[in-house]
Amino acid sequence: MEKMKAKPQLTLTEALKEAMGKLTVMGGRSRRSEYWWCALVLGLGSYFLGFIPILGAIISLAVLLVMIPLSVRRLHDTGHSGWWYGAAMLLGCAFTGALTIKILPIIEKYGESNAEKLGKKLVEAYSDPLVLGLMLASMVMGLVLLVFFCKDSKPEPNKWGASPKYGTDEEEIEVIG
């Protein structure tokens, strides 16, 4: 059996170039360093630009559109289907929708004029079994994805392609196996 060798971790600029070159690619695999460098840069950019009203919304949408394919490729690299990310997004949308349905009538009824009653009713909305169940399911799914995103690349090729981290070239270092 041939020994697999790990390539060096991607630098910030290498990771951003790699990710930006595959903005719409859902297939294939992305290394852990590529994912986390991009998540850091996009998260910080979204946070700081989020304070500018309209630009913040546009930036948040752009970050989401960049992170979806990157997250799917990262899941592929760890041997998991990208549908895990789709399930997490569906749970998040279901939670947000259920909470919105509960909260909007409360805000319309009490508004800001009676903050004490509004606060109590909002706590009741969050305590609704459906809302609470969807919130907990979303949190569990988020933790599962976090574990998957933190896992090392699978050295062997899988149905999404060869490992971007491991290979047998002379330039690669850190022999494993």
Side-chain angles (χ1 to χ4, degrees):
M1 182 173 139
E2 218 173 314
K3 289 191 180 208
M4 300 298 285
K5 300 175 185 176
K7 296 176 185 175
Q9 180 176 320
L10 296 177
T11 65
L12 172 65
T13 53
E14 290 171 337
L16 292 175
K17 274 185 196 175
E18 187 78 22
M20 295 308 137
K22 300 183 282 186
L23 284 176
T24 59
V25 178
M26 293 292 232
R29 297 167 64 165
S30 287
R31 294 176 63 173
R32 188 170 38 187
S33 54
E34 177 185 346
Y35 177 83
W36 287 110
W37 277 122
C38 290
L40 175 68
V41 168
L42 293 171
L44 288 173
S46 180
Y47 175 77
F48 288 112
L49 294 173
F51 293 111
I52 305 169
I54 294 179
L55 182 62
I58 293 169
I59 295 295
S60 293
L61 179 61
V63 166
L64 178 67
L65 293 176
V66 170
M67 287 305 293
I68 290 172
L70 181 61
S71 299
V72 167
R73 290 193 312 271
R74 179 71 200 122
L75 287 168
H76 290 171
D77 193 43
T78 60
H80 298 91
S81 170
W83 286 108
W84 280 94
Y85 196 74
M89 289 183 69
L90 285 174
L91 272 174
C93 289
F95 164 66
T96 304
L99 186 61
T100 302
I101 289 169
K102 290 285 185 183
I103 287 180
L104 282 181
I106 295 169
I107 292 173
E108 287 175 6
K109 184 175 181 179
Y110 295 103
E112 294 179 16
S113 61
N114 194 341
E116 187 177 323
K117 274 191 177 179
L118 177 64
K120 287 179 183 178
K121 292 293 184 180
L122 290 177
V123 168
E124 286 176 20
Y126 271 96
S127 301
D128 180 84
L130 176 65
V131 172
L132 197 56
L134 288 169
M135 180 176 66
L136 291 173
S138 293
M139 291 170 64
V140 168
M141 183 61 84
L143 289 173
V144 167
L145 285 178
L146 179 63
V147 168
F148 288 168
F149 290 148
C150 289
K151 287 174 65 176
D152 193 14
S153 300
K154 296 281 184 191
E156 64 278 347
N158 62 25
K159 63 182 175 181
W160 297 285
S163 173
K165 179 178 179 180
Y166 295 103
T168 56
D169 297 337
E170 294 94 25
E171 70 200 31
E172 298 166 12
I173 58 168
E174 192 187 330
V175 177
I176 64 165

